[in-house]
Amino acid sequence: VSVLSGRFFVNFPSAKQYFSQFKHMEDPLEMERSLQLRKHARRVMGAINTVVENLNDSEKVSSVLALVGKAHALKHKVEPIYFKKLTGVMLEVIAEEYPNDFTPEAHGAWTKMKTLIYTHVTAAYKEVGWAQ
């Protein structure tokens, strides 16, 4: 989880603007040690785990991702493109950390998951009237 967080903020430092607790941190190791960042990363991965566990329940998937999307649109004011960026980094990290298990089939499945997340989250943004 800390590798994912560190990589995301190194690749996309503009994303730090949404996190008051660590937006001024420059050192990736300091970010990886941040309790607030680790807590947020666990929440992100928990939501993704819930989606994976409920792939056969489209209403549950829609509900979880709608809550995430609406919270990030209304409360946190996060640009939706960051969901695409984060899931892209997630795929990179999974491929690097589990090279023997990340087969072409697994890559295809995670690519579909990335699209599913982005599609549902951006639909929630549109539903609440998000304006760029």
Side-chain angles (χ1 to χ4, degrees):
V1 169
S2 61
V3 172
L4 173 62
S5 301
R7 173 89 52 91
F8 178 66
F9 290 111
V10 167
N11 289 2
F12 305 103
S14 60
K16 290 189 292 182
Q17 69 183 306
Y18 300 108
F19 297 90
S20 60
Q21 310 96 323
F22 46 85
K23 69 179 173 184
H24 301 296
M25 290 182 189
E26 296 298 326
D27 179 11
L29 292 176
E30 184 183 6
M31 283 188 277
E32 286 181 23
R33 290 190 297 264
S34 165
L35 292 177
Q36 294 95 339
L37 181 55
R38 294 174 83 138
K39 183 179 175 184
H40 184 262
R42 281 193 293 273
R43 276 198 312 270
V44 169
M45 295 311 292
I48 290 171
N49 189 59
T50 299
V51 169
V52 170
E53 288 178 343
N54 290 283
L55 284 174
N56 292 328
D57 183 347
S58 61
E59 286 183 31
K60 177 74 172 181
V61 168
S62 294
S63 172
V64 168
L65 294 175
L67 286 172
V68 169
K70 288 175 184 176
H72 284 78
L74 298 172
K75 183 177 178 189
H76 308 297
K77 311 282 191 237
V78 175
E79 293 286 335
I81 191 65
Y82 285 103
F83 285 92
K84 187 176 276 189
K85 292 175 178 182
L86 177 64
T87 55
V89 171
M90 188 176 74
L91 258 61
E92 288 175 17
V93 171
I94 292 170
E96 290 170 12
E97 296 290 317
Y98 304 99
N100 296 332
D101 298 317
F102 205 65
T103 62
E105 294 81 14
H107 185 271
W110 278 103
T111 300
K112 286 180 183 177
M113 172 64 71
K114 177 182 165 181
T115 302
L116 176 87
I117 291 168
Y118 188 70
T119 301
H120 281 275
V121 167
T122 54
Y125 272 69
K126 288 177 186 152
E127 187 179 321
V128 298
W130 177 265
Q132 300 272 357

